[in-house]
Amino acid sequence: MKAVIKSSPGPGFIEVDVPVPEPGTSEVRIRVEAASICGTDIHLYDWNPWAAGRVVPPRIMGHEICGVIDAIGSGVTDRAVGTRVAVESHIVCRTCPECLRGEFHVCRNTSILGVDRDGGFAEFIAVPSVNTWPLWDDCDPAVGAAMEPVGNAVHATSVADLSGSTVVVMGAGPIGCACCAIARAKGAAHIIAVDRSPFRAALAKTMGADAGCTLEPGASMQEVISQVLGDREVDGVLEMSGAVEAIQTAVHLVRPGGWISMLGLGDAPVAVDFSTDVVMRGLTLYGIVGRELFATWEETTRLIRTGAISMTSLITDRLPFTGSAIDEAVRRLKKGTSGKIVLTR
Ligand SMILES: [Zn+2]
Ligand SMILES: [Zn+2]
């Protein structure tokens, strides 16, 4: 089968022929219909320090996947051939202390598809059956693939009661844009999104933000946000960018007693005056990793099926399922001229 892999340490992916995987015990094999491209894939493509420290090539890339089960391994009784599924990309051990507490999303032995084991930029993938999420009849495979990152937004927005609140979304990539839609659905009174890309700031507005601010080079994020904020107080920040300025602005921007939900990953430690800006102001910071298994998937399904999250707006680009299309997708994502990009067959 064709698969897009990281063949050796260094930038880029290549398309190669590899054997079709056989499903192991408790696994299913999925014929992949759609896969979407993530910011993590860009780090892997560029081979940044995180990728270099974690990934052992050769490795099939891709962790946002939808397809149809075409074979089941021994011991699988809860899934059937022919079922269309989305895939939870975090494979957890179910035996560590966190797993035993039901906190699977912080499993200390998590293995991530397309990072720690072979992913889904391929014709087929074998995964544990418990990592598949059966989809509804007539679910668009592109939507199924994008449920994984939308789940990140559902998780990030679950930390506080958003109704009546003013929230700022920092970083209007696909997850930030999904946060805008969810905050709107949950009754937030005022939603301000900010991004360096005018396209993405506009998309955030389409998705549900009241204001989508473009941060011009050299401009102060605090000033840009304050201008649209007027005399409103910010109850919470959804920090989806990982940018140093965003995090440092967030701790000043939220009102005393407010919260910051942090999902964006930066490249280096960030200096914050915790005593003055966090402790003395009584802020609550939440680190958001992955999705809660599987409450987040239930809520994501509900939000998409009720139309609260417009997936047709969020998925801006559909490309063929080829290695060269992934190169093109990485280029477009770096330019900031797209929302979610999905490869489809
Ligand atoms: Zn992802
Ligand atoms: Zn575990």
Side-chain angles (χ1 to χ4, degrees):
M1 68 171 183
K2 294 256 182 271
V4 173
I5 67 166
K6 172 68 75 180
S7 60
S8 58
F13 299 154
I14 59 168
E15 192 169 37
V16 294
D17 278 304
V18 297
V20 173
E22 290 301 324
T25 303
S26 305
E27 289 187 344
V28 298
R29 184 173 66 203
I30 297 165
R31 179 170 48 78
V32 181
E33 297 178 300
S36 48
I37 319 287
C38 174
T40 302
D41 296 319
I42 297 177
H43 295 322
L44 293 163
Y45 189 93
D46 289 344
W47 201 243
N48 79 346
W50 167 81
R54 176 135 179 184
V55 178
V56 182
R59 173 75 64 231
I60 301 175
M61 299 285 101
H63 60 272
E64 301 177 358
I65 307 153
C66 177
V68 173
I69 295 176
D70 93 315
I72 55 176
S74 63
V76 175
T77 56
D78 57 343
R79 294 289 183 271
V81 169
T83 305
R84 178 170 288 129
V85 293
V87 177
E88 165 54 53
S89 62
H90 289 196
I91 294 166
V92 300
C93 75
R94 296 178 184 267
T95 56
C96 75
E98 288 71 35
C99 283
L100 293 177
R101 279 199 296 267
E103 298 174 348
F104 299 107
H105 63 291
V106 286
C107 168
R108 59 186 68 184
N109 302 312
T110 301
S111 174
I112 304 178
L113 296 177
V115 176
D116 305 312
R117 57 180 269 169
D118 282 338
F121 289 165
E123 291 177 63
F124 295 91
I125 182 174
V127 299
S129 69
V130 291
N131 278 68
T132 60
W133 183 257
L135 297 168
W136 56 99
D137 291 344
D138 79 5
C139 176
D140 176 357
V143 169
M147 283 179 76
E148 193 259 23
V150 169
N152 286 129
V154 171
H155 189 185
T157 48
S158 69
V159 300
D161 179 5
L162 300 184
S163 71
S165 62
T166 294
V167 296
V168 173
V169 179
M170 295 180 166
I175 296 176
C177 285
C179 283
C180 294
I182 299 162
R184 178 57 70 216
K186 290 188 166 185
H190 206 79
I191 305 161
I192 297 165
V194 57
D195 198 282
R196 292 202 177 278
S197 152
F199 178 93
R200 289 183 155 183
L203 182 59
K205 239 183 129 176
T206 304
M207 292 294 293
D210 296 288
C213 308
T214 304
L215 189 65
E216 305 289 349
S220 149
M221 185 184 267
Q222 175 103 32
E223 279 173 26
V224 167
I225 296 170
S226 296
Q227 272 173 16
V228 287
L229 204 53
D231 50 16
R232 288 185 202 89
E233 284 202 310
V234 176
D235 298 292
V237 169
L238 292 150
E239 206 306 289
M240 303 293 119
S241 73
V244 173
E245 187 188 6
I247 295 165
Q248 291 174 334
T249 301
V251 296
H252 293 127
L253 196 65
V254 291
R255 64 170 172 80
W259 52 269
I260 306 173
S261 182
M262 309 184 70
L263 177 135
L265 299 175
D267 288 331
V270 177
V272 168
D273 185 340
F274 272 85
S275 306
T276 306
D277 295 334
V278 177
V279 178
M280 294 306 291
R281 299 181 68 241
L283 304 191
T284 304
L285 310 187
Y286 299 93
I288 304 297
V289 59
R291 294 144 297 280
E292 290 193 280
L293 309 182
F294 277 84
T296 298
W297 284 88
E298 287 176 12
E299 177 71 351
T300 304
T301 301
R302 189 186 71 77
L303 287 163
I304 291 174
R305 294 199 72 184
T306 57
I309 302 172
S310 168
M311 297 300 282
T312 47
S313 302
L314 190 65
I315 298 171
T316 55
D317 301 43
R318 291 173 187 247
L319 296 174
F321 210 123
T322 64
S324 59
I326 294 178
D327 292 336
E328 172 62 18
V330 169
R331 232 179 346 263
R332 291 185 193 180
L333 286 171
K334 285 183 177 179
K335 268 167 60 188
T337 53
S338 54
K340 200 67 194 166
I341 301 180
V342 187
L343 311 176
T344 57
R345 289 206 160 88

PDB file of all heavy atoms in Angstrom, residues 38 40 63-64 148-149, ligand 1:
ATOM      1  N   CYS A  38      -2.449  18.391  10.766  1.00  0.00           N
ATOM      2  CA  CYS A  38      -2.438  19.052  12.072  1.00  0.00           C
ATOM      3  C   CYS A  38      -1.168  19.887  12.211  1.00  0.00           C
ATOM      4  O   CYS A  38      -0.180  19.658  11.509  1.00  0.00           O
ATOM      5  CB  CYS A  38      -2.458  17.954  13.130  1.00  0.00           C
ATOM      6  SG  CYS A  38      -2.277  18.496  14.816  1.00  0.00           S
ATOM      7  N   THR A  40       0.801  19.563  14.578  1.00  0.00           N
ATOM      8  CA  THR A  40       1.814  18.586  14.973  1.00  0.00           C
ATOM      9  C   THR A  40       2.510  18.003  13.745  1.00  0.00           C
ATOM     10  O   THR A  40       3.717  17.751  13.760  1.00  0.00           O
ATOM     11  CB  THR A  40       1.151  17.441  15.780  1.00  0.00           C
ATOM     12  OG1 THR A  40       0.500  18.009  16.901  1.00  0.00           O
ATOM     13  CG2 THR A  40       2.178  16.431  16.256  1.00  0.00           C
ATOM     14  N   HIS A  63      -2.418  11.357  12.178  1.00  0.00           N
ATOM     15  CA  HIS A  63      -3.150  10.888  13.365  1.00  0.00           C
ATOM     16  C   HIS A  63      -4.609  11.349  13.396  1.00  0.00           C
ATOM     17  O   HIS A  63      -5.314  11.057  14.344  1.00  0.00           O
ATOM     18  CB  HIS A  63      -2.428  11.341  14.641  1.00  0.00           C
ATOM     19  CG  HIS A  63      -2.311  12.822  14.756  1.00  0.00           C
ATOM     20  ND1 HIS A  63      -1.267  13.528  14.221  1.00  0.00           N
ATOM     21  CD2 HIS A  63      -3.129  13.740  15.320  1.00  0.00           C
ATOM     22  CE1 HIS A  63      -1.437  14.816  14.471  1.00  0.00           C
ATOM     23  NE2 HIS A  63      -2.554  14.973  15.117  1.00  0.00           N
ATOM     24  N   GLU A  64      -5.063  12.079  12.363  1.00  0.00           N
ATOM     25  CA  GLU A  64      -6.466  12.522  12.329  1.00  0.00           C
ATOM     26  C   GLU A  64      -7.115  11.762  11.183  1.00  0.00           C
ATOM     27  O   GLU A  64      -6.932  12.115  10.015  1.00  0.00           O
ATOM     28  CB  GLU A  64      -6.523  14.038  12.139  1.00  0.00           C
ATOM     29  CG  GLU A  64      -5.809  14.789  13.259  1.00  0.00           C
ATOM     30  CD  GLU A  64      -5.786  16.306  13.079  1.00  0.00           C
ATOM     31  OE1 GLU A  64      -6.301  16.804  12.056  1.00  0.00           O
ATOM     32  OE2 GLU A  64      -5.234  16.990  13.963  1.00  0.00           O
ATOM     33  N   GLU A 148     -11.105  14.582  15.634  1.00  0.00           N
ATOM     34  CA  GLU A 148     -10.035  14.464  16.630  1.00  0.00           C
ATOM     35  C   GLU A 148      -9.561  15.853  17.089  1.00  0.00           C
ATOM     36  O   GLU A 148      -9.581  16.151  18.277  1.00  0.00           O
ATOM     37  CB  GLU A 148      -8.912  13.584  16.060  1.00  0.00           C
ATOM     38  CG  GLU A 148      -7.888  13.121  17.088  1.00  0.00           C
ATOM     39  CD  GLU A 148      -6.602  13.921  17.062  1.00  0.00           C
ATOM     40  OE1 GLU A 148      -6.627  15.072  16.596  1.00  0.00           O
ATOM     41  OE2 GLU A 148      -5.580  13.402  17.523  1.00  0.00           O
ATOM     42  N   PRO A 149      -9.159  16.751  16.170  1.00  0.00           N
ATOM     43  CA  PRO A 149      -8.768  18.095  16.626  1.00  0.00           C
ATOM     44  C   PRO A 149      -9.934  18.910  17.180  1.00  0.00           C
ATOM     45  O   PRO A 149      -9.744  19.706  18.104  1.00  0.00           O
ATOM     46  CB  PRO A 149      -8.171  18.742  15.374  1.00  0.00           C
ATOM     47  CG  PRO A 149      -8.757  17.983  14.221  1.00  0.00           C
ATOM     48  CD  PRO A 149      -8.919  16.570  14.723  1.00  0.00           C
TER      49      PRO A 149
HETATM   50 ZN    ZN B   1      -3.615  16.679  15.558  1.00  0.00          ZN
END
